[in-house]
């Protein structure tokens, strides 16, 4: 499956952004999708994940209550709605897909190219 992340940009602290992860190539509903992010000089970290049909979601503690994840399997797209953004949310956001649902980047076989989110304080 091929993934393309989009929707990043520059936003002030307290603002919102919605990221999209568009998939192609295989049956999208066969894959769980996760978002990860990587800040300069830091390791890639888990942000959120959604199961294949969307019944289950999981979030990093740092984004709980501020971010939501959803999917539209008819449109082969997963969304990450980010509200109340903070400077520490700055980084490159990657979407990833795998047949297994989890929070470890090592388990995900398919990755998008990343989209940059910059939150100014």
């Amino acid at each position: 499956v091929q993934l393309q992340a989009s929707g990043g940009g520059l936003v002030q602290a307290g603002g919102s952004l919605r990221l999209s992860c568009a998939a192609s190539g295989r049956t999208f509903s066969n894959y769980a999708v996760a978002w990860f992010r990587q800040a300069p000089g830091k390791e890639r970290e888990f942000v959120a994940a959604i199961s294949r049909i969307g019944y289950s979601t999981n979030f990093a503690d740092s984004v709980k209550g501020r971010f939501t994840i959803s999917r539209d399997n008819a449109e082969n797209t997963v969304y990450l709605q980010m509200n109340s953004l903070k400077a520490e949310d700055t980084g490159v956001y990657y979407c990833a897909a795998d047949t297994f649902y989890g929070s470890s980047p090592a388990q995900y076989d398919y990755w998008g190219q990343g989209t940059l989110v910059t939150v100014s304080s």
Side-chain angles (χ1 to χ4, degrees):
V1 61
Q2 291 80 45
L3 304 173
Q4 183 163 357
S6 62
L10 174 64
V11 63
Q12 288 187 335
S16 299
L17 280 176
R18 188 177 79 159
L19 305 184
S20 299
C21 177
S24 62
R26 296 193 181 184
T27 304
F28 186 54
S29 59
N30 287 343
Y31 295 88
V33 175
W35 287 94
F36 297 86
R37 66 187 181 190
Q38 189 165 18
K42 294 188 176 181
E43 293 186 353
R44 192 167 298 189
E45 64 174 0
F46 170 73
V47 176
I50 188 165
S51 60
R52 289 178 288 178
I53 306 299
Y55 290 158
S56 295
T57 58
N58 188 23
F59 297 91
D61 288 343
S62 59
V63 306
K64 281 181 181 177
R66 299 188 297 122
F67 290 11
T68 59
I69 188 171
S70 61
R71 67 188 297 161
D72 183 342
N73 284 344
E75 295 295 327
N76 290 347
T77 303
V78 167
Y79 302 99
L80 183 69
Q81 178 67 44
M82 306 186 295
N83 299 327
S84 302
L85 283 161
K86 305 175 181 179
E88 51 263 43
D89 294 318
T90 294
V92 178
Y93 283 68
Y94 299 89
C95 59
D98 197 85
T99 54
F100 294 98
Y101 170 61
S103 60
S104 170
Q107 76 173 84
Y108 284 85
D109 285 340
Y110 304 98
W111 290 81
Q113 83 288 2
T115 184
L116 177 62
V117 172
T118 304
V119 184
S120 62
S121 57

